[in-house]
Amino acid sequence: MNLTIENILLVGSLLLFVSIVAGKTSYKFGVPTLLFFLAVGMLAGSEGIAGIRFDDPRIAQFIGIISLNFILFSGGLDTDWKTVKPILRQGISLSTVGVLLTALSLGTFVWLITDFTFYESMLLGSIVSSTDAAAVFSILRSKSLALKANLRSVLELESGSNDPMAYVLTIAFLTLVINQDQSLASIIPLFLQQMVLGGLAGYGFGRLSKFVINRIQLDFEGLYPVLVITLMFITFSATDFIGGNGFLAIYICAVYIGNQDLIHKKTIFKMYDGLAWLMQIVLFLTLGLLVYPSEVMPYVGVGLLISLFLIIVARPLSVFISLLPFKMRQRRRWYISWVGLRGAVPIVFATYPLLAGIDKANAIFNMVFFISVTSVLIQGTTLPVVARWLHVALPGKVKPISEIEKLIADLPKSSLQEVVILPDYFAVDKRIVDLHFPKTAFIVMIKRAGEYIRPGGSTEIKAHDILMVLTDTPDDFARVSQCLAKAYVPLDALQG
């Protein structure tokens, strides 16, 4: 099937729907949801069931760059500076020195076992040198896996900030492959220019974005997320125009404005959370369509060797060396080493050699695809097991009391009350979205069997739950009681 203007919306929406439904089942198996999206794309491709022919790496790269803008920007917005600041040096070391060491060690291994030239081997190593945040945390969420101390913050910072380093190395070694007469030292100025200009531009555009968002005074709240999207693309394209790293710029810009007081901040965050998921699905579907399984099969043997070396040797080596200056328990270093999943980013970077037309471009692309998939399958499915084995895991649904108290501290006490759900209440075994709560009220927290749960629309209410309900005025609780039960019973009355 060839995609046309007439059927692209129908086919695209069907693929999105199938991907979302298929991804929902992945939580049961501990496989990252995004891997299911990739599988749906492959099944819909020219060698799959639907037979959709898509073989344009230029369009795939364009979609990849747009998607990475949203994914990195959303990750930056969600980065809490107070949490990240204590482990900033560790995260930066992993995302720079760690990525460089991974690229060099893996590139050397590829050079020794294949017929690739030295620069071609380093190009392959650079493409797969960064980790994928979406793949890592989709598994952590699916298994309700929380990590001890600041381990999660380290992984979050590394995953969100290491793509720019991998991009610079990819462009640098691709330049050396194309221009064989250049020396290795010639890429150092390019590296410094990309990272320095990218960092400065990100901070500068972050401050500018905050000023614009808070001062522009738009008439409609819905225009603010559109404004932020515009500022995001300006940051990326302007930084790239002056020779800086656009990916680094948008991440730093997002981290800055995400930790500032913004107008309609909640609206902006919610929109970006949804858009990031949409872009991840679109990205993996596109890459799945681009891949021809028959072309990947010849590289299974060498691809498996490279993938195992990356997992067992290159990643742990880079992690331990980059974390040498810092105090950290060995078990945590080992877990960081194991959380080295490769995802969509390396596959997007692998389109650059295809567009450059180098001799080994197809081999590199298919190897990178196989390495990314095997990394997710081997490491992704075992993250919860390894976390418990190394004793770095905590029950994900249990929230420290201090966090709950901090969340509620800023809420108006006159309109916040606790409600006990009795077994005969209408709300028992009902989803929150089905209770038809008044618009002036919502549930901010649920206490169940000594644990605190952050509710969502799909959360089911259980008997003996204690709901923390926030309303505009205390009088609104009369309407809330009608939605929950035959009669409203405050917690104080039961305890009295």
Side-chain angles (χ1 to χ4, degrees):
M1 179 191 296
N2 292 318
L3 294 179
T4 64
I5 296 176
E6 288 75 16
N7 64 24
I8 191 169
L9 286 177
L10 175 61
V11 173
S13 58
L14 287 175
L15 287 178
L16 283 173
F17 178 77
V18 172
S19 298
I20 293 170
V21 174
K24 178 179 173 65
T25 64
S26 71
Y27 287 111
K28 299 179 181 179
F29 302 101
V31 179
T33 306
L34 301 180
L35 190 60
F36 275 72
F37 303 154
L38 185 66
V40 171
M42 293 177 66
L43 288 173
S46 58
E47 296 182 349
I49 300 173
I52 299 173
R53 184 171 183 80
F54 177 74
D55 57 358
D56 192 334
R58 187 177 300 277
I59 295 178
Q61 185 184 98
F62 175 76
I63 293 174
I65 291 175
I66 297 297
S67 300
L68 288 178
N69 269 262
F70 281 97
I71 294 169
L72 287 175
F73 201 87
S74 177
L77 289 178
D78 290 335
T79 300
D80 185 356
W81 177 249
K82 293 180 180 178
T83 304
V84 167
K85 187 176 180 180
I87 48 86
L88 183 62
R89 292 185 300 165
Q90 293 95 312
I92 292 178
S93 181
L94 286 169
S95 61
T96 53
V97 178
V99 171
L100 177 62
L101 292 175
T102 300
L104 295 179
S105 57
L106 186 63
T108 302
F109 180 74
V110 173
W111 182 50
L112 293 174
I113 68 169
T114 67
D115 61 347
F116 283 20
T117 65
F118 179 76
Y119 288 152
E120 289 171 343
S121 301
M122 291 300 165
L123 174 60
L124 176 57
S126 300
I127 290 173
V128 296
S129 59
S130 63
T131 59
D132 187 84
V136 171
F137 292 109
S138 65
I139 296 182
L140 296 181
R141 287 193 297 268
S142 70
K143 293 297 182 180
S144 299
L145 183 64
L147 301 174
K148 292 182 179 179
N150 53 11
L151 190 55
R152 187 184 183 100
S153 299
V154 174
L155 294 171
E156 180 182 16
L157 178 61
E158 181 206 7
S159 299
S161 61
N162 63 7
D163 291 339
M165 182 69 175
Y167 173 79
V168 171
L169 292 176
T170 298
I171 297 302
F173 280 109
L174 180 60
T175 302
L176 292 176
V177 171
I178 297 173
N179 304 294
Q180 298 285 340
D181 56 332
Q182 291 189 12
S183 64
L184 188 61
S186 64
I187 68 173
I188 296 178
L190 173 64
F191 169 78
L192 294 176
Q193 172 186 311
Q194 284 267 315
M195 301 305 286
V196 173
L197 290 180
L200 292 176
Y203 178 72
F205 277 109
R207 293 182 64 92
L208 178 63
S209 298
K210 177 191 175 183
F211 177 82
V212 172
I213 293 169
N214 288 339
R215 295 296 182 91
I216 197 169
Q217 295 182 351
L218 299 174
D219 294 330
F220 301 99
E221 181 179 350
L223 286 177
Y224 281 90
V226 180
L227 173 64
V228 177
I229 293 176
T230 304
L231 294 171
M232 176 190 72
F233 283 128
I234 291 175
T235 301
F236 176 83
S237 56
T239 304
D240 184 75
F241 180 77
I242 64 175
N245 190 303
F247 294 116
L248 178 62
I250 60 173
Y251 181 75
I252 292 178
C253 174
V255 171
Y256 179 83
I257 66 176
N259 288 272
Q260 305 297 315
D261 294 326
L262 301 177
I263 295 177
H264 302 303
K265 185 174 183 179
K266 184 178 294 185
T267 301
I268 295 171
F269 274 46
K270 285 184 177 180
M271 184 219 64
Y272 259 95
D273 184 51
L275 282 178
W277 271 107
L278 174 62
M279 291 301 165
Q280 288 166 3
I281 296 173
V282 170
L283 175 57
F284 273 74
L285 282 175
T286 303
L287 296 176
L289 289 171
L290 186 64
V291 170
Y292 287 75
S294 62
E295 296 182 5
V296 178
M297 294 307 295
Y299 300 99
V300 168
V302 65
L304 185 59
L305 284 176
I306 296 173
S307 184
L308 290 176
F309 182 86
L310 174 62
I311 295 171
I312 299 173
V313 180
R315 170 67 177 178
L317 180 68
S318 64
V319 168
F320 274 79
I321 292 178
S322 58
L323 292 179
L324 275 178
F326 310 104
K327 292 183 179 180
M328 183 181 291
R329 293 183 179 179
Q330 293 291 353
R331 63 181 63 177
R332 295 178 184 176
R333 297 174 192 262
W334 280 113
Y335 191 70
I336 293 174
S337 300
W338 192 249
V339 186
L341 277 73
R342 271 61 192 170
V345 174
I347 306 176
V348 173
F349 289 170
T351 62
Y352 284 86
L354 286 175
L355 294 178
I358 65 175
D359 293 337
K360 296 292 196 303
N362 286 322
I364 290 175
F365 180 83
N366 289 301
M367 285 184 187
V368 168
F369 178 82
F370 183 81
I371 291 168
S372 296
V373 172
T374 53
S375 171
V376 173
L377 287 175
I378 295 173
Q379 295 169 284
T381 55
T382 56
L383 283 184
V385 176
V386 174
R388 288 188 286 269
W389 180 57
L390 293 174
H391 304 291
V392 297
L394 287 172
K397 291 185 179 180
V398 178
K399 304 295 181 182
I401 298 298
S402 58
E403 289 188 21
I404 307 302
E405 292 175 344
K406 181 179 179 182
L407 177 67
I408 297 176
D410 297 330
L411 298 176
K413 297 296 185 294
S414 60
S415 57
L416 179 68
Q417 294 191 32
E418 294 179 314
V419 182
V420 174
I421 303 299
L422 299 181
D424 61 338
Y425 276 22
F426 169 80
V428 174
D429 295 330
K430 299 291 192 307
R431 298 182 305 170
I432 292 177
V433 70
D434 297 327
L435 297 179
H436 304 295
F437 256 46
K439 294 182 178 180
T440 56
F442 60 93
I443 302 170
V444 296
M445 195 66 61
I446 300 175
K447 184 177 181 181
R448 178 179 299 165
E451 298 180 358
Y452 286 93
I453 301 172
R454 294 179 184 270
S458 60
T459 303
E460 289 189 357
I461 304 297
K462 300 297 182 182
H464 307 296
D465 279 355
I466 299 177
L467 310 185
M468 300 180 184
V469 182
L470 180 68
T471 63
D472 286 350
T473 64
D475 295 335
D476 290 331
F477 278 97
R479 298 179 60 193
V480 171
S481 65
Q482 295 176 0
C483 298
L484 293 175
K486 300 175 183 177
Y488 170 68
V489 182
L491 182 64
D492 294 341
L494 290 177
Q495 292 176 342

